[in-house]
Amino acid sequence: MSNQNRGVGILGVGSALPETVMTNFDLEKVVDTSDEWIKRRTGISERRVLDKDTPAYELGVKAAVRAVEDAGITAEDLDLIIVTTNSPDYLVPSTACIIQGKIGAGKAAAFDMNAACTGFVYGITVAKQFIETGAYKYVMVVGCEALSKITDWEDRNTCVLFADAAGAVVLGPVKEGYGILGTNIGADGSAGHTITSPCCHIDPVDIEKRPHENKRVVWMDGSAVLKFAVRIMEQATRAVLEEAKMSTDDVDFIFPHQANIRIIEGAVDRLGIPLDKVPLIIGKYGNISSASIPVALDEAVKTNKLKKGDNLIFVGFGGGLTWGSALVKWCK
Ligand code: UT7
């Protein structure tokens, strides 16, 4: 049976964070940096990191269980699990398969996708297609990241930024006119060299960029990414609003990927959206990559910020380079 005339919306949300807090003062002891520099240049005060022996999927499992419960369904009801990650514990099995097994979602197909920090927006865009066509009823998208495991802890340009978390949503059919009203995703592979994280192959150029022992770490041209991010978040937000014949005045809350407070301020300033419409988490959690939007969403839901009918924007950018936006009419 086709769902083509029905909406696709978020039925449940959940998140999970490691218990260990790493403050800027802790980082002062590791690299040549200061609490003052990190706060002023990034807006980050502290972040959560997994200990060395704990896999990222443990966070993913907790977030998934919470999202399923919040949706009022059981794990056996899930038809598909998509995990968005650029820091998987294993290449094989995928984090999605690990989570599927651990939560007992026996009926669900499962796969990982990588669109770096834009992953969550890509994930819900893909999930929406399966539900719209009627192929599946309940699809879970989990942003599950352990960036601390691929961070160069000797590189002050990156180690003060990244952290660990997971955030999950369950998507399913909702009343027409509610849920995901539009999405817009894009990529520019010709600029892929601005953020890299080698895996099975390492080019000489990757080795050159990584002076320290561990070569399988993230390297980034921070200023290039910052300029791209501000521009593309404005562009992607305007594109998805235009398609729905809405304006920035119609936006109740905007959930951007949270990489740096200066990027967020720059983007909302260009859009003419007040900063108090952004549920901020960057100060306490750092850059948690594809988990940042669902974690911020979960906190907004749990603190009763959202009401039925609110227009939400999800907008992300990241390695690839990639970007994406979604317009969601909140339906819970
Ligand atoms: O999730 C998507 C991926 N990542 C991002 O979105 C990150 C985007 N970029 C950024 O957030 C910013 O570009 C950074 C926070 C990474 C850097 O901020 P910036 O204002 O662009 O600084 P910069 O790279 O231009 O560096 C300015 C100075 C440099 O020193 P010199 O060359 O001027 O002497 C850096 O070496 O700041 C220095 N610096 C630091 N100083 C103290 C860089 N990192 C640090 C640090 N502590 N942690």
Side-chain angles (χ1 to χ4, degrees), residues 225-245:
V225 177
L226 187 138
K227 285 179 204 138
F228 156 76
V230 173
R231 179 176 57 79
I232 209 70
M233 290 222 287
E234 181 198 8
Q235 195 177 301
T237 301
R238 290 199 188 282
V240 82
L241 282 169
E242 223 163 82
E243 205 187 299
K245 302 201 172 15

mmCIF file of all heavy atoms in Angstrom, residues 225-245:
data_model
loop_
_atom_site.group_PDB
_atom_site.id
_atom_site.type_symbol
_atom_site.label_atom_id
_atom_site.label_comp_id
_atom_site.label_asym_id
_atom_site.label_seq_id
_atom_site.Cartn_x
_atom_site.Cartn_y
_atom_site.Cartn_z
ATOM 1 N N VAL A 225 36.712 25.830 5.983
ATOM 2 C CA VAL A 225 35.433 25.197 6.327
ATOM 3 C C VAL A 225 34.481 26.223 6.945
ATOM 4 O O VAL A 225 33.282 26.252 6.649
ATOM 5 C CB VAL A 225 35.633 24.002 7.286
ATOM 6 C CG1 VAL A 225 34.297 23.395 7.682
ATOM 7 C CG2 VAL A 225 36.522 22.935 6.661
ATOM 8 N N LEU A 226 35.036 27.088 7.790
ATOM 9 C CA LEU A 226 34.212 28.103 8.451
ATOM 10 C C LEU A 226 33.509 29.003 7.426
ATOM 11 O O LEU A 226 32.294 29.225 7.499
ATOM 12 C CB LEU A 226 35.099 28.924 9.395
ATOM 13 C CG LEU A 226 34.422 29.922 10.315
ATOM 14 C CD1 LEU A 226 35.054 29.864 11.706
ATOM 15 C CD2 LEU A 226 34.540 31.327 9.798
ATOM 16 N N LYS A 227 34.255 29.468 6.434
ATOM 17 C CA LYS A 227 33.654 30.365 5.420
ATOM 18 C C LYS A 227 32.589 29.623 4.611
ATOM 19 O O LYS A 227 31.505 30.145 4.359
ATOM 20 C CB LYS A 227 34.749 30.893 4.479
ATOM 21 C CG LYS A 227 35.597 31.959 5.136
ATOM 22 C CD LYS A 227 36.680 32.460 4.200
ATOM 23 C CE LYS A 227 37.836 33.046 5.008
ATOM 24 N NZ LYS A 227 39.158 32.684 4.505
ATOM 25 N N PHE A 228 32.920 28.392 4.212
ATOM 26 C CA PHE A 228 31.972 27.568 3.455
ATOM 27 C C PHE A 228 30.687 27.352 4.269
ATOM 28 O O PHE A 228 29.575 27.476 3.754
ATOM 29 C CB PHE A 228 32.642 26.227 3.119
ATOM 30 C CG PHE A 228 31.694 25.088 2.863
ATOM 31 C CD1 PHE A 228 30.995 24.993 1.666
ATOM 32 C CD2 PHE A 228 31.508 24.092 3.822
ATOM 33 C CE1 PHE A 228 30.112 23.933 1.439
ATOM 34 C CE2 PHE A 228 30.633 23.039 3.602
ATOM 35 C CZ PHE A 228 29.927 22.969 2.402
ATOM 36 N N ALA A 229 30.870 27.057 5.559
ATOM 37 C CA ALA A 229 29.734 26.690 6.421
ATOM 38 C C ALA A 229 28.720 27.823 6.539
ATOM 39 O O ALA A 229 27.511 27.600 6.416
ATOM 40 C CB ALA A 229 30.250 26.296 7.804
ATOM 41 N N VAL A 230 29.204 29.031 6.771
ATOM 42 C CA VAL A 230 28.287 30.166 6.945
ATOM 43 C C VAL A 230 27.489 30.385 5.661
ATOM 44 O O VAL A 230 26.265 30.536 5.684
ATOM 45 C CB VAL A 230 29.076 31.450 7.347
ATOM 46 C CG1 VAL A 230 28.148 32.656 7.365
ATOM 47 C CG2 VAL A 230 29.760 31.263 8.691
ATOM 48 N N ARG A 231 28.201 30.349 4.530
ATOM 49 C CA ARG A 231 27.548 30.583 3.233
ATOM 50 C C ARG A 231 26.519 29.483 2.918
ATOM 51 O O ARG A 231 25.381 29.755 2.561
ATOM 52 C CB ARG A 231 28.638 30.619 2.142
ATOM 53 C CG ARG A 231 28.121 30.827 0.736
ATOM 54 C CD ARG A 231 29.270 30.945 -0.264
ATOM 55 N NE ARG A 231 30.184 29.804 -0.278
ATOM 56 C CZ ARG A 231 29.939 28.645 -0.883
ATOM 57 N NH1 ARG A 231 28.795 28.440 -1.494
ATOM 58 N NH2 ARG A 231 30.840 27.667 -0.862
ATOM 59 N N ILE A 232 26.930 28.234 3.108
ATOM 60 C CA ILE A 232 26.082 27.126 2.653
ATOM 61 C C ILE A 232 24.869 26.928 3.578
ATOM 62 O O ILE A 232 23.798 26.519 3.137
ATOM 63 C CB ILE A 232 26.906 25.821 2.497
ATOM 64 C CG1 ILE A 232 26.294 24.934 1.417
ATOM 65 C CG2 ILE A 232 27.074 25.057 3.797
ATOM 66 C CD1 ILE A 232 26.411 25.413 0.038
ATOM 67 N N MET A 233 25.032 27.247 4.879
ATOM 68 C CA MET A 233 23.876 27.093 5.786
ATOM 69 C C MET A 233 22.794 28.107 5.431
ATOM 70 O O MET A 233 21.609 27.795 5.484
ATOM 71 C CB MET A 233 24.309 27.225 7.244
ATOM 72 C CG MET A 233 25.143 26.024 7.673
ATOM 73 S SD MET A 233 24.732 25.427 9.287
ATOM 74 C CE MET A 233 25.437 26.683 10.278
ATOM 75 N N GLU A 234 23.227 29.317 5.054
ATOM 76 C CA GLU A 234 22.230 30.308 4.622
ATOM 77 C C GLU A 234 21.536 29.811 3.344
ATOM 78 O O GLU A 234 20.307 29.773 3.261
ATOM 79 C CB GLU A 234 22.883 31.669 4.357
ATOM 80 C CG GLU A 234 21.822 32.696 3.946
ATOM 81 C CD GLU A 234 22.376 33.936 3.259
ATOM 82 O OE1 GLU A 234 23.582 33.978 2.949
ATOM 83 O OE2 GLU A 234 21.566 34.856 3.020
ATOM 84 N N GLN A 235 22.368 29.392 2.374
ATOM 85 C CA GLN A 235 21.831 28.961 1.074
ATOM 86 C C GLN A 235 20.869 27.770 1.210
ATOM 87 O O GLN A 235 19.778 27.779 0.641
ATOM 88 C CB GLN A 235 23.028 28.555 0.206
ATOM 89 C CG GLN A 235 22.756 28.427 -1.253
ATOM 90 C CD GLN A 235 24.070 28.083 -1.975
ATOM 91 O OE1 GLN A 235 25.054 28.833 -1.918
ATOM 92 N NE2 GLN A 235 24.107 26.933 -2.622
ATOM 93 N N ALA A 236 21.265 26.763 1.978
ATOM 94 C CA ALA A 236 20.444 25.551 2.111
ATOM 95 C C ALA A 236 19.136 25.850 2.854
ATOM 96 O O ALA A 236 18.082 25.292 2.524
ATOM 97 C CB ALA A 236 21.230 24.462 2.833
ATOM 98 N N THR A 237 19.200 26.742 3.846
ATOM 99 C CA THR A 237 17.982 27.100 4.594
ATOM 100 C C THR A 237 17.013 27.842 3.677
ATOM 101 O O THR A 237 15.814 27.534 3.636
ATOM 102 C CB THR A 237 18.341 27.978 5.813
ATOM 103 O OG1 THR A 237 19.239 27.248 6.634
ATOM 104 C CG2 THR A 237 17.107 28.367 6.616
ATOM 105 N N ARG A 238 17.545 28.799 2.925
ATOM 106 C CA ARG A 238 16.666 29.553 2.014
ATOM 107 C C ARG A 238 16.049 28.621 0.961
ATOM 108 O O ARG A 238 14.872 28.752 0.624
ATOM 109 C CB ARG A 238 17.441 30.682 1.323
ATOM 110 C CG ARG A 238 17.811 31.811 2.269
ATOM 111 C CD ARG A 238 18.161 33.096 1.525
ATOM 112 N NE ARG A 238 18.697 34.109 2.415
ATOM 113 C CZ ARG A 238 17.971 34.861 3.236
ATOM 114 N NH1 ARG A 238 16.657 34.703 3.282
ATOM 115 N NH2 ARG A 238 18.545 35.749 4.023
ATOM 116 N N ALA A 239 16.829 27.663 0.468
ATOM 117 C CA ALA A 239 16.336 26.764 -0.590
ATOM 118 C C ALA A 239 15.139 25.948 -0.110
ATOM 119 O O ALA A 239 14.128 25.836 -0.801
ATOM 120 C CB ALA A 239 17.459 25.846 -1.048
ATOM 121 N N VAL A 240 15.237 25.386 1.104
ATOM 122 C CA VAL A 240 14.164 24.513 1.581
ATOM 123 C C VAL A 240 12.913 25.335 1.949
ATOM 124 O O VAL A 240 11.781 24.884 1.763
ATOM 125 C CB VAL A 240 14.680 23.604 2.732
ATOM 126 C CG1 VAL A 240 14.676 24.308 4.073
ATOM 127 C CG2 VAL A 240 13.927 22.310 2.793
ATOM 128 N N LEU A 241 13.119 26.570 2.415
ATOM 129 C CA LEU A 241 11.973 27.437 2.739
ATOM 130 C C LEU A 241 11.269 27.873 1.455
ATOM 131 O O LEU A 241 10.038 27.869 1.371
ATOM 132 C CB LEU A 241 12.445 28.667 3.520
ATOM 133 C CG LEU A 241 12.742 28.451 4.998
ATOM 134 C CD1 LEU A 241 13.451 29.666 5.596
ATOM 135 C CD2 LEU A 241 11.465 28.159 5.786
ATOM 136 N N GLU A 242 12.070 28.250 0.461
ATOM 137 C CA GLU A 242 11.515 28.707 -0.815
ATOM 138 C C GLU A 242 10.641 27.626 -1.458
ATOM 139 O O GLU A 242 9.547 27.898 -1.940
ATOM 140 C CB GLU A 242 12.675 29.011 -1.758
ATOM 141 C CG GLU A 242 12.500 30.289 -2.555
ATOM 142 C CD GLU A 242 13.835 30.721 -3.136
ATOM 143 O OE1 GLU A 242 14.201 30.170 -4.194
ATOM 144 O OE2 GLU A 242 14.512 31.555 -2.492
ATOM 145 N N GLU A 243 11.155 26.394 -1.411
ATOM 146 C CA GLU A 243 10.433 25.275 -2.006
ATOM 147 C C GLU A 243 9.060 25.095 -1.354
ATOM 148 O O GLU A 243 8.089 24.725 -2.015
ATOM 149 C CB GLU A 243 11.273 24.018 -1.809
ATOM 150 C CG GLU A 243 11.012 22.929 -2.814
ATOM 151 C CD GLU A 243 11.765 21.671 -2.422
ATOM 152 O OE1 GLU A 243 13.008 21.724 -2.348
ATOM 153 O OE2 GLU A 243 11.087 20.659 -2.153
ATOM 154 N N ALA A 244 8.986 25.391 -0.050
ATOM 155 C CA ALA A 244 7.715 25.243 0.678
ATOM 156 C C ALA A 244 6.914 26.543 0.680
ATOM 157 O O ALA A 244 5.898 26.652 1.369
ATOM 158 C CB ALA A 244 7.994 24.807 2.114
ATOM 159 N N LYS A 245 7.407 27.539 -0.067
ATOM 160 C CA LYS A 245 6.776 28.867 -0.134
ATOM 161 C C LYS A 245 6.644 29.485 1.260
ATOM 162 O O LYS A 245 5.607 30.041 1.634
ATOM 163 C CB LYS A 245 5.425 28.795 -0.847
ATOM 164 C CG LYS A 245 5.536 28.229 -2.256
ATOM 165 C CD LYS A 245 4.368 28.594 -3.130
ATOM 166 C CE LYS A 245 4.510 28.224 -4.598
ATOM 167 N NZ LYS A 245 5.552 27.277 -4.990
#
